[in-house]
Amino acid sequence: MKYVFLFCGTQEAQRAWEEMSEEARSAQYAQVGRWFAEHSAKIGPGNQLQPPHTATTVRFQNNGEPLVHDGPFMEGKEIVGGYTEVNVADLDEVLRMAKTWPARGTIEIRPVMGVDQ
Amino acid sequence: MAGADATPTTPATLATHAALVAVFREEAGRLTSALLRMLGDFDVAEEIVQDALLVALERWPVEGIPERPGAWLLTVARHRALNQLSRDARYRAKLEQMGQMGQSILREPDDRLRLMFTCCHPALSRSAQVGLTLRAVCGFTTAEIAHAFLASEAAVAQRLVRARRKIVAANIPYRMPTGDELDERLGEVLAVLYLMFNEGYLSSSGVTPTRRDLAEDAAWLTVLVTRFLPGEPEPLGLLALMRLHLARAEARFTGAGELILLPKQDRSLWDRSMIAEGIALIEQAAALRRPGPYQVEAAIVACHAEAESWDTTDWRQIVVLYDLLLSMRPSPVVRLNRAVALRQVAGPEVALAEVNALSQELDHYHLFHAIRGELLLELSHREQARASALRALELTQNRAEQSLLARRLLEW
């Protein structure tokens, strides 16, 4: 069963991350790296994303015309920071994994649409 | 669907319904878990059982309850399954296997607890957990759930369809939690049972007979949990709590259906043998030496149950128990209840200060205003007391509470 983790956080957390000392940041990277290493057998493709100010959004209007604008599509304080695919037996296993995520914030877990659905 | 949402009025139909309910309760969960085991698909299994129950609801009142109701329901369910699923290659082999196994699949193993853990999975909303548990484990119909929660049948049906689809789409497993997980997951199950119980206990008016009593079903489910997990103290604590509340049911209403609060209840109407049962359950739980919030809550209710009157109640002990409860599960509602006990120990001024400190968190809770009103009246702030009672009246949907508060406004 395949799920996707959407790693989310707040703007404050993002700022704190950007203002973190090099040392603190690499310590956190190391923790996250360990987490990925521990679960490597279950982890599929994924990436950390560049900060939201680098985002560009294309939104289709009611008339079908695409409108391009600067910034992320979600308004408000939540930010998607990255994603990864996860391959496990069921929701319980994926929840156990998510609960050990070292970088805190919020994780949205979505089952991936299968071929038979 | 005939009769599914009708509230029976004559004693004869009530008796028939009581018999039906007892059978549904005993058989529905077994049937659902058996089908779920065989088919591996919660959505399909649960829907087929519901269909079978609706067929029984139409036919049993006319034809009588069959001698082996479980087998009867299984046969109907199997027919339904064959009709609906035999064209689907995924189910064909499973259905054949089901046909060969016969009725033994209803009895062994009895994994209704596993079913409950699935229905009460933390990835589902509380209302979905409650609805699924009532349908899949207790054999409620959608109409009965809607009736019990004063919701429209369409809304309840939609919520349940969505929840069942999530179980399948997100692959919520049909398994017993183990180890560290058991505590958290058992907590979910007990929270669902307590909510169900309160909904039934508090919404009953004492005069209108209803087809299914949520409080009774919640207690029945809790007994089931205690039987499956005899080494866990909290289910025993919750069951004790329910018994101790139910023991006072007779004294909660006047003949005309008016609510009577604890201080004014005729304690001779309390069911002494049920109180004894509740206290024995607390002792049984305590012997397991793992205290928890339900055990403490039960102990608080036991203090009331054992007291001869409101005034001679052991309030000091109750305050101590509330402090213990707050250390386990901090909550503004518990602090509010503690303030009521504190009134008896330290007087209305101290209690009012405690209550006032909760005004932000509990501004939308009717009992906050009701209790605050009582304390204000006692301190001779009559106008403020009336304003509080009025605010409480505006905030409650419960008829019995509304009429009690309205009377209070007339008297104050």
Side-chain angles (χ1 to χ4, degrees):
Chain A
M1 180 85 188
K2 200 181 279 184
Y3 301 84
V4 164
F5 279 8
L6 296 171
F7 298 104
C8 309
T10 58
Q11 281 175 349
E12 294 91 77
Q14 175 77 26
R15 262 197 300 281
W17 168 255
E18 283 162 15
E19 288 161 9
M20 221 178 249
S21 72
E22 206 53 51
E23 241 170 39
R25 204 180 305 181
S26 52
Q28 177 136 48
Y29 265 126
Q31 276 189 325
V32 169
R34 268 199 299 280
W35 185 87
F36 274 101
E38 264 167 44
H39 300 99
S40 62
K42 296 165 187 168
I43 285 176
N47 281 296
Q48 187 182 359
L49 302 177
Q50 301 259 13
H53 67 79
T54 63
T56 310
T57 300
V58 175
R59 195 187 295 273
F60 285 92
Q61 307 296 286
N62 289 339
N63 62 11
E65 288 299 310
L67 192 72
V68 178
H69 74 85
D70 174 34
F73 84 94
M74 289 193 301
E75 296 191 12
K77 295 186 169 180
E78 297 289 317
I79 288 168
V80 180
Y83 67 93
T84 188
E85 261 183 42
V86 173
N87 246 308
V88 289
D90 54 46
L91 190 69
D92 281 356
E93 195 180 350
V94 90
L95 287 174
R96 274 198 293 277
M97 242 175 108
K99 285 176 180 173
T100 63
W101 173 245
R104 301 297 169 241
T106 306
I107 305 175
E108 179 171 325
I109 301 164
R110 291 276 280 271
V112 166
M113 190 85 92
V115 260
D116 58 338
Q117 288 165 318
Chain B
M1 290 293 286
D5 54 355
T7 305
T9 43
T10 70
T13 49
L14 265 181
T16 314
H17 279 293
L20 281 185
V21 163
V23 172
F24 277 21
R25 217 186 248 163
E26 209 39 64
E27 304 297 340
R30 291 177 193 275
L31 186 57
T32 312
S33 51
L35 287 188
L36 183 46
R37 226 162 34 230
M38 302 298 301
L39 300 173
D41 184 327
F42 187 95
D43 192 16
V44 169
E46 207 269 344
E47 187 64 23
I48 286 173
V49 174
Q50 179 78 186
D51 283 349
L53 295 180
L54 291 173
V55 173
L57 261 185
E58 275 182 26
R59 293 185 36 193
W60 292 0
V62 184
E63 298 168 13
I65 296 174
E67 209 167 296
R68 286 186 305 169
W72 192 100
L73 288 168
L74 178 63
T75 306
V76 173
R78 192 188 290 145
H79 276 294
R80 292 261 154 174
L82 282 169
N83 280 338
Q84 285 175 28
L85 305 174
S86 58
R87 264 161 294 164
D88 192 327
R90 280 179 300 172
Y91 297 110
R92 207 173 296 135
K94 292 173 179 169
L95 286 169
E96 239 167 66
Q97 198 189 352
M98 201 170 115
Q100 285 159 6
M101 286 191 65
Q103 292 161 29
S104 63
I105 66 166
L106 286 177
R107 299 292 152 195
E108 293 299 326
D110 181 352
D111 56 5
R112 284 176 287 175
L113 185 65
R114 182 153 65 126
L115 182 62
M116 262 163 128
F117 274 113
T118 301
C119 293
C120 299
H121 196 280
L124 301 169
S125 73
R126 183 70 86 219
S127 65
Q129 292 174 333
V130 171
L132 285 177
T133 305
L134 286 173
R135 259 181 59 135
V137 192
C138 287
F140 270 61
T141 63
T142 305
E144 285 169 340
I145 296 170
H147 182 76
F149 287 92
L150 304 175
S152 82
E153 198 176 330
V156 171
Q158 194 192 25
R159 201 185 302 145
L160 293 179
V161 166
R162 218 176 273 161
R164 291 204 316 260
R165 292 206 182 125
K166 177 165 182 187
I167 290 179
V168 177
N171 205 16
I172 291 178
Y174 181 43
R175 60 176 270 273
M176 275 291 294
T178 50
D180 292 349
E181 262 179 329
L182 182 63
D183 266 355
E184 181 205 338
R185 298 286 304 277
L186 183 58
E188 290 281 325
V189 170
L190 298 182
V192 165
L193 298 181
Y194 195 27
L195 186 148
M196 231 181 244
F197 179 83
N198 280 332
E199 190 64 29
Y201 186 71
L202 299 176
S203 70
S204 68
S205 67
V207 280
T208 348
T210 47
R211 190 169 176 286
R212 286 201 78 157
D213 182 346
L214 270 183
E216 208 179 282
D217 276 283
W220 177 84
L221 281 166
T222 312
V223 170
L224 203 61
V225 176
T226 60
R227 229 192 295 146
F228 278 112
L229 297 171
E232 290 295 326
E234 282 291 87
L236 291 166
L238 179 57
L239 186 59
L241 184 57
M242 291 176 176
R243 292 275 188 261
L244 292 167
H245 277 306
L246 288 173
R248 304 199 304 234
E250 282 292 307
R252 288 181 66 224
F253 295 96
T254 66
E258 302 274 12
L259 189 61
I260 308 172
L261 296 181
L262 189 55
K264 291 188 179 165
Q265 283 176 12
D266 175 358
R267 297 185 180 219
S268 70
L269 294 174
W270 291 0
D271 183 336
R272 291 292 150 190
S273 69
M274 208 185 281
I275 290 172
E277 202 187 321
I279 288 169
L281 283 163
I282 295 176
E283 284 163 4
Q284 200 183 330
L288 293 165
R289 299 192 170 279
R290 279 158 57 212
Y294 291 112
Q295 295 169 72
V296 177
E297 268 196 70
I300 292 169
V301 183
C303 285
H304 288 295
E306 285 177 317
E308 276 169 26
S309 69
W310 178 258
D311 290 325
T312 59
T313 304
D314 189 350
W315 293 106
R316 279 176 202 287
Q317 175 68 14
I318 290 177
V319 172
V320 168
L321 288 168
Y322 272 122
D323 286 334
L324 183 59
L325 186 55
L326 281 169
S327 72
M328 292 170 171
R329 191 163 57 187
S331 126
V333 173
V334 173
R335 282 186 65 191
L336 180 69
N337 292 330
R338 180 182 175 277
V340 175
L342 196 63
R343 149 73 190 83
Q344 302 299 321
V345 175
E349 274 169 52
V350 178
L352 183 62
E354 274 285 300
V355 169
N356 284 341
L358 300 166
S359 61
Q360 290 259 306
E361 287 163 291
L362 296 180
D363 188 44
H364 291 283
Y365 185 48
H366 66 285
L367 292 180
F368 165 78
H369 296 283
I371 289 167
R372 190 159 175 270
E374 286 171 23
L375 293 169
L376 284 165
L377 186 77
E378 209 177 339
L379 294 164
S380 306
H381 303 301
R382 195 163 155 273
E383 279 316 303
Q384 280 175 280
R386 286 176 55 87
S388 289
L390 189 62
R391 179 97 173 96
L393 179 60
E394 287 164 0
L395 286 171
T396 180
Q397 311 294 320
N398 182 308
R399 288 244 182 90
E401 286 179 328
Q402 281 172 344
S403 107
L404 181 103
L405 289 161
R407 263 182 291 151
R408 199 174 268 190
L409 276 169
L410 285 175
E411 287 163 14
W412 286 3

